[in-house]
Amino acid sequence: MDIITSKDNEVYKGLKKLKTKKYRDLEQLFLAEGRKFLEFKETPKMIIFKEGIAEEVVEMAKDHDCKKIILGEKLFKELTSQENSQGVIICYNSKANQLDDLTDNVVVLNRVADPGNLGTIIRVADAAGFKDIILTKGSVDCYNDKTVRSSMGSILSMNIYYIEEEKIVDLLKNKGYKIVVTALEEDSIPYTKMKLEKKNAFIFGNEGDGVSQSIIQLSDEKVIIPIYGTAESLNVAMATGILLYDVRNRLENR
């Protein structure tokens, strides 16, 4: 393996640029950090080890047929996004997903802004057996380092798309989806009473503002998750998990 100790090294400079969304989009690459990612079957573009890392960690990467390098401790520290890094960063190709390939039940996120929330939603959607997440543009980047970390590897198996907010409803209706939004409207019903069709799109909104009114007005059904205690509201990732697991239960028992 090559050992890189100079900040002027072209490989290192390219990796450092992947800390920015602009360059991730340009190169169609992203970084994931932690030994856990060495356990996934997804083939990386490159694996980066911190100088001095234990040999058994390097051994974990032996089955991945990709370029492997070692970064000097100072350079690795500049690349890591974690205070207590495990000494492994993996570079992956981002997926080129096509909206023509959507499954029958999709998750839509309208301007979700917090990277930790998005990562948790990706993880819970994967756990509940969903494959597709559509984000309206203006949402946080799914390859943000905190999002990738919070997804706990589910980012590798989910299909994630971005689309302009003004186009999302037309897209879903043209593809035959029933549009269900989570919204505190007068005619909203408890999520347990919603009716599923053959194809369904479940829309969750921004942490502070919820789903855009333009989307709510064109939806087919509005649902709420009742609160029985004194809590003012639910975190969007928690709300997503509650609703998606209810949907999964219904789909399994049809």
Side-chain angles (χ1 to χ4, degrees), residues 118-153:
L118 177 55
T120 302
I121 290 170
I122 291 169
R123 184 180 179 186
V124 76
D126 181 19
F130 292 78
K131 294 302 296 181
D132 298 306
I133 296 179
I134 304 173
L135 295 102
T136 60
K137 290 188 176 178
S139 299
V140 67
D141 178 24
C142 67
Y143 295 121
N144 175 288
D145 54 10
K146 187 175 181 181
T147 300
V148 173
R149 184 165 66 252
S150 299
S151 81
M152 292 295 289

Side-chain angles (χ1 to χ4, degrees), residues 65-211:
D65 185 17
C66 66
K67 182 177 178 65
K68 302 177 181 73
I69 64 170
I70 296 173
L71 283 185
E73 187 171 347
K74 186 176 179 181
L75 297 187
F76 192 92
K77 188 175 181 179
E78 291 185 14
L79 191 63
T80 180
S81 61
Q82 299 183 18
E83 188 173 338
N84 297 305
S85 174
Q86 295 180 329
V88 181
I89 298 173
I90 297 92
C91 179
Y92 289 104
N93 292 103
S94 51
K95 283 186 177 182
N97 299 312
Q98 301 296 322
L99 284 165
D100 290 337
D101 300 327
L102 293 175
T103 51
D104 286 348
N105 291 280
V106 300
V107 179
V108 180
L109 304 178
N110 180 210
R111 295 179 293 112
V112 167
D114 183 86
N117 279 339
L118 177 55
T120 302
I121 290 170
I122 291 169
R123 184 180 179 186
V124 76
D126 181 19
F130 292 78
K131 294 302 296 181
D132 298 306
I133 296 179
I134 304 173
L135 295 102
T136 60
K137 290 188 176 178
S139 299
V140 67
D141 178 24
C142 67
Y143 295 121
N144 175 288
D145 54 10
K146 187 175 181 181
T147 300
V148 173
R149 184 165 66 252
S150 299
S151 81
M152 292 295 289
S154 289
I155 189 78
L156 300 176
S157 57
M158 296 294 288
N159 301 320
I160 301 175
Y161 316 82
Y162 284 83
I163 188 172
E164 291 83 358
E165 183 173 312
E166 58 271 19
K167 294 181 180 180
I168 186 64
V169 173
D170 285 343
L171 171 79
L172 295 172
K173 286 188 177 294
N174 288 339
K175 288 183 174 295
Y177 286 92
K178 176 182 181 179
I179 299 175
V180 179
V181 299
T182 52
L184 296 172
E185 300 291 306
E186 287 186 6
D187 57 343
S188 293
I189 62 172
Y191 74 98
T192 52
K193 294 184 178 180
M194 67 179 168
K195 296 180 179 178
L196 299 182
E197 303 294 343
K198 183 178 185 301
K199 299 176 72 173
N200 306 277
F202 307 98
I203 305 184
F204 304 88
N206 173 268
E207 290 85 349
D209 300 325
V211 178

